[in-house]
Amino acid sequence: MSRFLSAEAQRLAPYQPGEQPGEGFIKLNTNENPFPPSPAVAAAVAGRIDRLRFYNDPDSTALRAALAAEYGLKPAQVLAANGSDEVLAFALRAFCGEGEHRALAFPDLTYGFYEVWAGLFGIEERRIPLKEDFTVDPDDYCGLGCTIVLANPNAPTGLMLPPAQIERILQANPDNVLILDEAYADFAPENCLELLRSYDNLVIVRTFSKSRSLAGARLGFALASEALIEDLARVKDSLNPYNVNSMTQAAGIASLGDEGYFRRCLAEVCATRGWAAGQLRRLGFTVTDSCTNFLFALHPALPGAEIAAQLRARRILVRRWDTPRIRDWVRISIGTRQEMETLIGALQEILAEAKEG
Amino acid sequence: MSRFLSAEAQRLAPYQPGEQPGEGFIKLNTNENPFPPSPAVAAAVAGRIDRLRFYNDPDSTALRAALAAEYGLKPAQVLAANGSDEVLAFALRAFCGEGEHRALAFPDLTYGFYEVWAGLFGIEERRIPLKEDFTVDPDDYCGLGCTIVLANPNAPTGLMLPPAQIERILQANPDNVLILDEAYADFAPENCLELLRSYDNLVIVRTFSKSRSLAGARLGFALASEALIEDLARVKDSLNPYNVNSMTQAAGIASLGDEGYFRRCLAEVCATRGWAAGQLRRLGFTVTDSCTNFLFALHPALPGAEIAAQLRARRILVRRWDTPRIRDWVRISIGTRQEMETLIGALQEILAEAKEG
């Protein structure tokens, strides 16, 4: 820290990203997709290189049109950004602050970045504990009188609140925005897109990072009423208007155009998830009912830190947190079937050694 | 604007980007490079597509190493970002705010985004008029007791304060940061890189958008002391840690590796600038001594709005502002020699018609 750092920046507590090691690891720690992006992406990006001398379209017009078509909305109901992290940052600046809408409510166990942005923008936090079983109690979010952000499905629990319950929260908060972080929704049996037709206080945030294998391209987007999207664009244009580079815009459009590939990859990840969850339970793990591309698991005999360390020694990375309530859990991204077989084999060994030791 | 918009976001006055039209225009309005990026860029980007399923390196390690080598600095003295706009936003959050370093000083005529970020972060502005001839008076920036941002060369004037004068400002402000926006420095005869060795209160901000033909890839960077870079990283990691996608990281490294192409393009732009400035003066324009890839020009007989409109009717775009002091000026990016010949021909016609009319 330099002697010039502002008081505001001194107060920041930056996000700690998951480890990004070199080659030679089975990477099950940052919820990446085990499959490469659609083959259509390479050609689309290649076609943009010579025109990189021009600024990208700051409004991501063609990409937003493609997203609008995909979700049956108007392009003016879509905002694109440099990852869904950027969308969420815009949303918190737009819908939290001084006065009536100052505070931000979110669960005690959820995506770790919400509190970081609250710190960045000086937003008061209201952390609401998940129930004992890690589910959200919608009653906790009724009549709070502040902005709400919910990851649904939630991370790292993998659990999902059904759309009818989300609707109850929307109805109980007509004068406040609910930001619904649906980063993992493509892996879930349901989502809340339909609610956009009826509620003007809903912002849905999505990403190409998980289900579309484009984590490294950075592409997220918001879906909401035209008025809310205009608000988000106001923040974008006050921070970084040319936020989505033109290669990423092209990659996103190409990915959306290859529906078959998308569906096949999704089906495979979900099938592998079911297989891996069964195997983990067979090994004695408690595993939540994941609606995502990861599993959240606890073993009665071995703490999470031990499991993660032993796996790391075998070149397999998973994620865990030194956080109350989930200290002993591990979060395991869904890899290929083969990667998950290697994982299960490794866990079997680790548990056997622990029993002997 | 929705009824949910925060008071902070209501106060924002978003930046207005220059027009990005479709094909069929000679685009001399946003200071893009007339040449495509180095041929090495296409191969480097293509090599990253299959690995887009992985998150990009949030620290842009390889790119920062390449930049450090280019400028004779340590990698820890470099921060990469999603365009230099993002670097500047990080710097203003890091070095302006409450208390002693609250305010931000900048010229009355300069890059229009400084005031937008000041609004976003609630930073008090101190606008300091340029001299009558549009030059910066270094005395105006001595002993201000606040953070300073100077574009050098400045936009839209194209004029440059020599490094010795910048050094005076640094010496006179040992307890405040000078953010030097060197977006156009590659087109200038001198720059302030050497001052990084002696001053711990200097942040130099640069971009691949202009001199490296990568505007659409979004890549900017900061060069400074390790402590100041750590401060900038703190803000980055509190806003959007994975800020530079992996295609852009690869493009940047490839561009830095092709020094010969870079030098040839620069030389051509500078030669064309000299030719075009001479032609404009021949037509009666006052033209500032540009150290950038644009010309700033005033004609005694025709207001800037008229010139811009007449050029637009001929499918040539230039930029101007409805701002006191420069209302009648136009800013003309340097295109290819052929594009500039077309421009000069068009201006000749426009001026002749004005004389007749």
Side-chain angles (χ1 to χ4, degrees), chain A residues 129-145:
Chain A
L130 294 178
K131 289 197 287 190
E132 197 59 38
D133 65 358
F134 293 153
T135 58
V136 168
D137 185 344
D139 287 341
D140 289 341
Y141 295 86
C142 292
L144 285 177

Side-chain angles (χ1 to χ4, degrees), chain B residues 18 21 49 54 58-60 79 93 148 152 180 190 210 235 244 252-253 259 281 285 290 302 351 356:
Chain B
I49 301 296
F54 293 114
D59 299 321
S60 298
L79 178 118
R93 174 66 304 173
I148 298 165
N152 196 48
L180 207 58
E190 298 179 284
K210 324 288 184 186
V235 177
V244 183
I253 294 167
E259 182 76 8
R281 289 184 180 120
F285 281 89
S290 172
L302 218 51
L351 290 167
E356 284 167 21

Side-chain angles (χ1 to χ4, degrees), chain B residues 82-298:
Chain B
N82 187 32
S84 62
D85 283 347
E86 197 180 60
V87 183
L88 289 160
F90 293 162
L92 298 200
R93 174 66 304 173
F95 307 122
C96 299
E98 294 166 9
E100 279 179 39
H101 308 297
R102 183 179 184 85
L104 179 69
F106 52 88
D108 63 338
L109 298 176
T110 190
Y111 184 33
F113 221 131
Y114 304 144
E115 59 184 325
V116 177
W117 290 310
L120 178 69
F121 295 126
I123 297 164
E124 185 192 316
E125 297 168 21
R126 296 202 203 160
R127 293 188 208 216
I128 299 178
L130 294 177
K131 290 196 287 190
E132 197 58 39
D133 64 357
F134 293 154
T135 58
V136 169
D137 185 344
D139 287 340
D140 289 343
Y141 294 87
C142 291
L144 284 177
C146 69
T147 305
I148 298 165
V149 59
L150 288 176
N152 196 48
N154 196 14
T157 65
L159 298 174
M160 173 166 184
L161 205 57
Q165 304 291 308
I166 295 290
E167 186 164 15
R168 276 190 56 209
I169 297 174
L170 287 165
Q171 284 171 344
N173 293 279
D175 294 324
N176 289 287
V177 170
L178 169 61
I179 301 160
L180 207 58
D181 181 351
E182 287 198 344
Y184 298 101
D186 285 328
F187 304 103
E190 298 179 284
N191 63 60
C192 292
L193 284 170
E194 268 309 310
L195 297 175
L196 286 175
R197 303 194 189 283
S198 314
Y199 295 92
D200 72 347
N201 57 336
L202 173 62
V203 178
I204 291 182
V205 180
R206 294 210 169 182
T207 176
F208 282 67
S209 293
K210 324 288 184 186
S211 55
R212 293 191 176 273
S213 307
L214 285 170
R218 316 306 303 127
L219 185 55
F221 57 102
L223 306 173
S225 73
E226 292 184 44
L228 292 185
I229 292 297
E230 204 181 293
D231 292 348
L232 294 175
R234 187 185 184 86
V235 177
K236 169 180 98 66
D237 291 338
S238 301
L239 183 55
N240 201 6
Y242 294 90
N243 62 331
V244 183
N245 76 86
S246 47
M247 296 179 287
T248 295
Q249 291 185 33
I253 294 167
S255 171
L256 289 166
D258 194 352
E259 182 76 8
Y261 181 83
F262 173 63
R263 293 286 155 206
R264 283 194 299 281
C265 291
L266 273 188
E268 178 112 6
V269 168
C270 290
T272 304
R273 174 181 72 196
W275 176 84
Q279 293 296 310
L280 287 171
R281 289 184 180 120
R282 188 180 58 80
L283 294 177
F285 281 89
T286 299
V287 184
T288 61
D289 287 325
S290 172
C291 298
T292 66
N293 69 334
F294 59 82
L295 294 168
F296 197 49
L298 171 77

Side-chain angles (χ1 to χ4, degrees), chain B residues 298-342:
Chain B
L298 171 77
H299 199 278
L302 218 51
E306 184 68 17
I307 294 172
Q310 296 268 6
L311 285 172
R312 199 177 199 295
R314 288 166 170 81
R315 315 277 297 167
I316 301 172
L317 299 179
V318 298
R319 194 142 191 221
R320 61 171 294 280
W321 291 266
D322 257 327
T323 302
R325 299 186 67 184
I326 58 167
R327 201 180 299 281
D328 286 336
W329 293 70
V330 290
R331 191 193 71 183
I332 305 167
S333 308
I334 304 299
T336 59
R337 173 67 184 253
Q338 196 186 340
E339 287 173 329
M340 299 312 274
E341 285 173 3
T342 305

Side-chain angles (χ1 to χ4, degrees), chain A residues 18-20 27-32 210 331 333, chain B residues 55 242:
Chain A
E19 194 180 359
Q20 300 292 344
K27 241 186 125 284
L28 307 176
N29 67 328
T30 53
N31 299 342
E32 289 148 334
K210 325 287 184 187
R331 192 193 71 182
S333 309
Chain B
Y55 279 92
Y242 294 90

Side-chain angles (χ1 to χ4, degrees), chain A residues 233-306:
Chain A
R234 186 185 185 85
V235 176
K236 170 180 97 67
D237 291 337
S238 301
L239 183 55
N240 201 5
Y242 294 91
N243 62 332
V244 183
N245 76 86
S246 48
M247 295 179 286
T248 295
Q249 291 185 33
I253 294 167
S255 172
L256 289 167
D258 193 351
E259 183 76 9
Y261 181 84
F262 173 64
R263 294 285 156 208
R264 283 194 300 280
C265 292
L266 272 188
E268 177 112 7
V269 168
C270 290
T272 305
R273 174 181 71 195
W275 178 84
Q279 293 296 311
L280 287 172
R281 288 185 181 119
R282 188 180 59 80
L283 295 177
F285 281 89
T286 300
V287 183
T288 60
D289 287 325
S290 171
C291 297
T292 65
N293 69 334
F294 59 82
L295 294 168
F296 197 48
L298 171 76
H299 199 277
L302 217 51
E306 185 68 16

Side-chain angles (χ1 to χ4, degrees), chain A residues 1-3 6 9-10 32-33 52-53 55 82 93-94 117 175 210 216 230-231 234 243 245-246, chain B residues 1-3 6 9-10 32-33 52-53 55 82 93-94 175 210 216 230-231 234 239 243 245-246:
Chain A
M1 189 186 303
S2 84
R3 62 197 173 92
S6 67
Q10 283 176 37
E32 289 148 334
N33 200 301
L52 285 179
R53 71 183 187 87
Y55 278 92
N82 187 31
R93 175 66 303 173
W117 289 309
D175 294 325
K210 325 287 184 187
E230 203 181 295
D231 292 348
R234 186 185 185 85
N243 62 332
N245 76 86
S246 48
Chain B
M1 191 185 303
S2 84
R3 62 200 173 91
S6 67
Q10 283 176 37
E32 289 147 335
N33 200 302
L52 285 179
R53 71 184 187 88
Y55 279 92
N82 187 32
R93 174 66 304 173
D175 294 324
K210 324 288 184 186
E230 204 181 293
D231 292 348
R234 187 185 184 86
L239 183 55
N243 62 331
N245 76 86
S246 47

Side-chain angles (χ1 to χ4, degrees), chain A residues 193-210:
Chain A
L193 284 170
E194 268 309 309
L195 297 176
L196 285 175
R197 303 194 189 284
S198 313
Y199 296 92
D200 73 347
N201 56 337
L202 173 62
V203 178
I204 291 181
V205 180
R206 293 210 167 182
T207 176
F208 282 66
S209 293
K210 325 287 184 187

